[in-house]
Amino acid sequence: MRGTVLRAGVIGCGNVAGNHAAAYRDLPGVQLVACADVDPDRADRFAARYGAAASGPDDLFDHGLDLVSVCTPHPTHEAVVTRAAAHGAHVLCEKPIATELGAAARMVAACEAAGVRLGVAFQRRFWPAARRIRTAIDDGTLGVPVLGHTSVLLHRDTSYYTADAWRGSRAADGGGVLTTQAIHNIDLLQWYMGEAVEVSAAHAAFRHGEVIEVEDTAVATVRFASGGLATLAASTALTPGLGTRVLVSGRTGASAGLTEYPEGTEARIDLWAVPGAETSAPPFGTGLAADPPLSRINGALAPFHTLLIEEFTDAVRQGREPAVTGREAAKSLAILTAAYASAASGRPEPVPAPHEETTA
């Protein structure tokens, strides 16, 4: 670190970047110094809003940054992260870590070689409800998880995909609902269930196929090294959206579940089926609500980005690994990789080792 105050930057000034910028601006001991985007006008507007200097991507690291948030399109993560590492900057990368495992492995290797920390933004792990389930696994309340389920049933207008040229493109987005939305729940599922070994999946584009090359709907089953099984259903083709859910049952027979509804709001425990402590709540509260705009979804998640970023900056100061490392984030990417392979082959596919570096 260059000083007692951490000098932070943000590269990529799109929707979620504001949560990162606001957290850096407001956290004690952190100064938001600069932001960069390939669109100079967008960088200027963003910088003015958050009180930072605007920069081009090639000049960002001239500002003497201690750490940087990478909020660029998914396939660009590798180039930006490895460049940050070369400049000695710690990196917090938006999810997914990359669109292929070779890139993720090279990112991890570059940061380890440079002696900088690499964290990944899975802010939903910081929900109290999510942590309560993780604790119930760790302390034996649920026992070894043997059955899991997650659903990601959301609404996106066609305008969501046409607003930015890269959205919905295989080359520039890397994938559809699995990559961009369901990756958070895939991460939670593997955090609870452990090492995944096999995936069987299928996907389609039911609603947005005329404007995207990727899937807007997918289903999958996942087999874990423990012998546990899980199912996944994901879509951006629903009106209205039905939020997201994660449910886990353990060898003790106990179950616990959480619901995020409407999308972006803090998840709450909707099922705690533990003998002697049973509670439940309607997953949709008082009833179905109108779909919130993307700005409101991102805004509602901001407190958990702040918790994630506060933990990451603490890790940088203390010289320890952050809560969600690059290696940890590669686990959900490995499941995603197997899901796409299975959808293409029409048969179950093994989950590749997430740490394997390739040249693909």
Side-chain angles (χ1 to χ4, degrees):
M1 292 183 294
R2 296 174 173 84
T4 56
V5 174
L6 293 176
R7 294 172 59 84
V10 175
I11 184 165
C13 300
N15 293 315
V16 78
N19 289 359
H20 291 254
Y24 290 134
R25 180 195 62 195
D26 297 339
L27 280 174
V30 181
Q31 179 186 3
L32 178 63
V33 174
C35 61
D37 196 276
V38 293
D39 181 341
D41 290 338
R42 182 157 65 173
D44 286 341
R45 293 192 301 269
F46 191 88
R49 180 177 181 182
Y50 293 102
S55 171
D58 293 337
D59 304 322
L60 180 66
F61 296 101
D62 294 343
H63 291 269
L65 302 180
D66 294 303
L67 52 90
V68 63
S69 278
V70 176
C71 303
T72 59
H74 311 145
T76 68
H77 288 176
E78 179 185 2
V80 180
V81 168
T82 54
R83 186 160 180 262
H87 282 83
H90 303 277
V91 190
L92 180 61
C93 183
E94 263 297 331
K95 56 74 192 169
I97 183 174
T99 55
E100 53 96 8
L101 285 169
R106 293 187 291 271
M107 291 160 67
V108 169
C111 289
E112 290 180 348
V116 298
R117 305 298 172 188
L118 173 59
V120 180
F122 282 117
Q123 73 278 0
R124 285 168 169 84
R125 286 199 187 195
F126 288 79
W127 282 332
R131 296 198 158 203
R132 184 181 177 192
I133 293 176
R134 179 66 253 183
T135 297
I137 294 168
D138 292 338
D139 68 15
T141 298
L142 293 180
V144 175
V146 294
L147 183 63
H149 171 71
T150 187
S151 60
V152 182
L153 305 177
L154 308 177
H155 170 83
R156 291 293 185 273
D157 287 327
T158 298
S159 61
Y160 166 82
Y161 292 103
T162 58
D164 293 296
W166 58 269
R167 282 187 181 161
S169 160
R170 286 192 181 89
D173 205 354
V177 64
L178 289 173
T179 296
T180 302
Q181 285 86 24
I183 190 70
H184 282 288
N185 292 66
I186 294 171
D187 173 68
L188 287 176
L189 199 62
Q190 69 83 24
W191 191 36
Y192 297 150
M193 299 290 295
E195 179 188 356
V197 296
E198 184 183 81
V199 179
S200 180
H203 61 61
F206 291 128
R207 181 170 183 172
H208 304 295
E210 293 185 359
V211 296
I212 64 175
E213 301 174 339
V214 294
E215 80 286 351
D216 64 22
T217 302
V219 295
T221 59
V222 186
R223 187 180 300 274
F224 295 87
S226 65
L229 300 169
T231 58
L232 174 149
S235 183
T236 56
L238 280 71
T239 302
L242 302 178
T244 81
R245 190 161 192 252
V246 180
L247 177 68
V248 179
S249 300
R251 288 193 183 276
T252 65
S255 302
L258 60 78
T259 290
E260 171 194 6
Y261 183 82
E263 182 187 1
T265 56
E266 179 181 341
R268 57 195 175 85
I269 297 292
D270 66 344
L271 177 68
W272 197 258
V274 175
E278 297 93 340
T279 61
S280 65
F284 303 111
T286 58
L288 296 180
D291 291 304
L294 188 61
S295 59
R296 190 186 306 165
I297 293 169
N298 286 330
L301 288 167
F304 301 100
H305 275 100
T306 297
L307 290 174
L308 170 88
I309 289 169
E310 184 175 22
E311 193 279 335
F312 180 73
T313 57
D314 285 346
V316 168
R317 286 195 178 91
Q318 296 165 15
R320 60 169 176 82
E321 293 292 342
V324 187
T325 65
R327 288 183 178 273
E328 178 68 11
K331 295 176 182 178
S332 56
L333 178 58
I335 295 172
L336 198 65
T337 300
Y340 284 128
S342 174
S345 71
R347 61 178 180 269
E349 294 286 349
V351 176
H355 59 277
E356 285 184 359
E357 182 172 359
T358 70
T359 57

Coordinates of all heavy atoms in Angstrom, one line a residue, residues 14-20 94-95 123-124 156 160 167 184 263-265 292-305:
G14 N -20.6 1.6 -16.0 CA -22.0 1.2 -16.3 C -22.8 1.1 -15.0 O -22.5 1.7 -14.0
N15 N -23.9 0.3 -15.1 CA -24.9 0.3 -14.0 C -24.4 0.0 -12.7 O -24.6 0.8 -11.7 CB -26.0 -0.7 -14.4 CG -26.8 -0.3 -15.7 OD1 -27.2 0.9 -15.8 ND2 -27.0 -1.2 -16.6
V16 N -23.7 -1.1 -12.5 CA -23.3 -1.5 -11.2 C -22.1 -0.8 -10.6 O -21.9 -0.8 -9.4 CB -23.0 -3.1 -11.2 CG1 -21.7 -3.4 -11.7 CG2 -23.1 -3.6 -9.8
A17 N -21.4 -0.1 -11.5 CA -20.2 0.6 -11.1 C -20.5 1.7 -10.0 O -19.7 2.0 -9.1 CB -19.5 1.3 -12.3
G18 N -21.7 2.3 -10.0 CA -22.1 3.3 -9.0 C -22.0 2.8 -7.6 O -21.7 3.5 -6.7
N19 N -22.4 1.5 -7.4 CA -22.3 0.9 -6.1 C -20.9 0.9 -5.6 O -20.6 1.1 -4.4 CB -22.9 -0.5 -6.1 CG -24.5 -0.5 -6.2 OD1 -25.1 0.6 -6.4 ND2 -25.1 -1.6 -6.3
H20 N -20.0 0.5 -6.5 CA -18.6 0.5 -6.1 C -18.0 1.9 -5.8 O -17.4 2.1 -4.8 CB -17.7 -0.1 -7.2 CG -18.0 -1.6 -7.5 ND1 -17.1 -2.6 -7.1 CD2 -19.0 -2.3 -8.0 CE1 -17.5 -3.8 -7.4 NE2 -18.7 -3.6 -8.0
E94 N -16.0 -7.6 -10.8 CA -17.4 -7.9 -10.9 C -17.5 -9.4 -11.3 O -16.7 -10.0 -12.0 CB -18.2 -7.0 -11.8 CG -18.9 -5.9 -11.0 CD -19.9 -6.4 -10.0 OE1 -20.5 -7.4 -10.3 OE2 -20.2 -5.7 -9.0
K95 N -18.7 -10.0 -11.0 CA -19.0 -11.3 -11.4 C -19.4 -11.4 -12.9 O -19.9 -10.3 -13.4 CB -20.1 -12.0 -10.5 CG -21.4 -11.1 -10.4 CD -22.2 -11.2 -11.7 CE -23.3 -10.3 -11.7 NZ -23.9 -10.2 -13.1
Q123 N -21.8 -10.2 -3.8 CA -22.3 -9.4 -2.6 C -23.4 -10.1 -1.9 O -23.7 -9.9 -0.8 CB -22.7 -8.0 -3.0 CG -23.9 -7.8 -3.8 CD -23.8 -8.1 -5.3 OE1 -22.7 -8.4 -5.8 NE2 -24.8 -7.9 -6.0
R124 N -24.1 -11.1 -2.6 CA -25.3 -11.7 -2.0 C -24.8 -12.7 -0.9 O -25.6 -13.1 0.0 CB -26.1 -12.4 -3.0 CG -27.0 -11.5 -3.8 CD -27.6 -12.2 -5.0 NE -28.7 -11.4 -5.7 CZ -28.5 -10.5 -6.6 NH1 -27.2 -10.2 -7.0 NH2 -29.5 -9.8 -7.2
R156 N -36.9 -9.2 -17.7 CA -36.1 -8.2 -18.4 C -36.9 -7.8 -19.7 O -37.3 -8.7 -20.5 CB -34.7 -8.7 -18.8 CG -33.8 -9.0 -17.6 CD -33.4 -7.7 -16.9 NE -32.5 -7.9 -15.9 CZ -32.8 -8.1 -14.6 NH1 -34.0 -8.3 -14.2 NH2 -31.8 -8.3 -13.7
Y160 N -33.6 -4.0 -22.2 CA -32.4 -4.3 -21.4 C -31.3 -4.8 -22.2 O -30.1 -4.4 -22.1 CB -32.8 -5.3 -20.3 CG -31.7 -5.9 -19.6 CD1 -31.0 -5.3 -18.6 CD2 -31.2 -7.2 -20.0 CE1 -30.0 -5.9 -17.9 CE2 -30.1 -7.8 -19.4 CZ -29.5 -7.2 -18.3 OH -28.5 -7.7 -17.7
R167 N -24.6 -6.6 -24.8 CA -25.5 -7.5 -24.1 C -26.2 -8.5 -25.0 O -26.7 -8.2 -26.1 CB -26.6 -6.7 -23.4 CG -26.1 -6.0 -22.1 CD -27.3 -5.4 -21.4 NE -26.8 -4.7 -20.1 CZ -27.5 -3.8 -19.5 NH1 -28.7 -3.4 -19.9 NH2 -27.1 -3.3 -18.4
H184 N -25.0 -15.6 -9.4 CA -25.0 -15.3 -8.0 C -25.6 -16.5 -7.2 O -25.1 -16.9 -6.2 CB -25.9 -14.1 -7.7 CG -25.2 -12.8 -8.0 ND1 -24.2 -12.3 -7.2 CD2 -25.5 -11.9 -9.0 CE1 -23.9 -11.1 -7.6 NE2 -24.6 -10.8 -8.7
E263 N -36.8 -8.7 -6.8 CA -35.3 -8.7 -7.2 C -34.6 -7.5 -6.6 O -35.0 -6.4 -6.8 CB -35.2 -8.8 -8.7 CG -33.7 -9.0 -9.1 CD -33.6 -8.9 -10.6 OE1 -34.6 -8.7 -11.3 OE2 -32.4 -9.0 -11.1
G264 N -33.4 -7.8 -6.0 CA -32.6 -6.7 -5.5 C -32.8 -6.4 -4.1 O -31.9 -5.9 -3.4
T265 N -33.9 -6.8 -3.5 CA -34.1 -6.6 -2.1 C -33.3 -7.6 -1.2 O -33.0 -8.6 -1.7 CB -35.6 -6.6 -1.7 OG1 -36.1 -7.9 -2.1 CG2 -36.4 -5.5 -2.4
P292 N -39.3 -4.0 -10.6 CA -38.6 -2.7 -10.4 C -37.6 -2.5 -11.6 O -37.2 -3.4 -12.2 CB -37.8 -3.0 -9.1 CG -37.6 -4.5 -9.1 CD -38.9 -5.1 -9.7
P293 N -37.3 -1.2 -11.8 CA -36.3 -0.9 -12.9 C -35.0 -1.3 -12.4 O -34.7 -1.5 -11.2 CB -36.4 0.6 -13.0 CG -37.0 1.1 -11.7 CD -37.9 0.0 -11.2
L294 N -34.1 -1.5 -13.4 CA -32.7 -2.0 -13.1 C -32.0 -1.1 -12.1 O -31.2 -1.5 -11.2 CB -31.9 -2.2 -14.4 CG -30.5 -2.9 -14.2 CD1 -30.7 -4.3 -13.7 CD2 -29.8 -2.9 -15.6
S295 N -32.2 0.2 -12.3 CA -31.6 1.2 -11.4 C -32.0 0.9 -9.9 O -31.1 1.1 -9.0 CB -31.9 2.6 -11.8 OG -33.3 2.8 -11.7
R296 N -33.2 0.6 -9.7 CA -33.7 0.3 -8.3 C -33.1 -1.0 -7.8 O -32.8 -1.1 -6.6 CB -35.2 0.3 -8.3 CG -35.8 0.3 -6.8 CD -37.3 0.2 -6.8 NE -37.9 1.2 -7.6 CZ -39.2 1.1 -8.0 NH1 -39.9 0.0 -7.6 NH2 -39.7 2.1 -8.7
I297 N -33.0 -2.0 -8.7 CA -32.4 -3.3 -8.3 C -31.0 -3.0 -7.8 O -30.6 -3.5 -6.7 CB -32.5 -4.3 -9.4 CG1 -34.0 -4.6 -9.7 CG2 -31.7 -5.5 -9.1 CD1 -34.1 -5.4 -11.0
N298 N -30.2 -2.3 -8.6 CA -28.8 -2.1 -8.3 C -28.7 -1.3 -7.0 O -27.9 -1.5 -6.1 CB -28.1 -1.4 -9.4 CG -27.8 -2.4 -10.6 OD1 -27.6 -3.6 -10.3 ND2 -27.7 -1.9 -11.8
G299 N -29.6 -0.3 -6.9 CA -29.6 0.6 -5.7 C -29.9 -0.2 -4.4 O -29.3 0.1 -3.4
A300 N -30.8 -1.1 -4.5 CA -31.2 -1.9 -3.3 C -30.0 -2.8 -2.9 O -29.9 -3.2 -1.7 CB -32.4 -2.7 -3.6
L301 N -29.2 -3.2 -3.9 CA -28.0 -4.1 -3.5 C -26.8 -3.3 -3.0 O -25.9 -3.9 -2.6 CB -27.6 -4.9 -4.8 CG -28.6 -6.0 -5.2 CD1 -28.3 -6.5 -6.6 CD2 -28.6 -7.1 -4.2
A302 N -26.9 -2.0 -3.1 CA -25.7 -1.2 -2.8 C -25.2 -1.4 -1.3 O -24.0 -1.5 -1.1 CB -26.0 0.3 -2.9
P303 N -26.1 -1.6 -0.3 CA -25.5 -1.8 1.0 C -24.7 -3.1 1.1 O -23.7 -3.2 1.9 CB -26.8 -2.0 1.9 CG -27.8 -1.2 1.2 CD -27.6 -1.4 -0.3
F304 N -25.0 -4.1 0.3 CA -24.2 -5.3 0.3 C -23.0 -5.2 -0.5 O -22.0 -5.9 -0.2 CB -25.1 -6.5 -0.1 CG -26.3 -6.6 0.9 CD1 -27.6 -6.1 0.5 CD2 -26.2 -7.1 2.1 CE1 -28.6 -6.1 1.4 CE2 -27.2 -7.1 3.0 CZ -28.5 -6.6 2.6
H305 N -23.0 -4.4 -1.6 CA -21.7 -4.1 -2.2 C -20.8 -3.4 -1.2 O -19.6 -3.6 -1.2 CB -21.9 -3.2 -3.4 CG -22.3 -3.9 -4.7 ND1 -23.5 -4.1 -5.2 CD2 -21.4 -4.5 -5.6 CE1 -23.5 -4.7 -6.3 NE2 -22.2 -5.0 -6.6

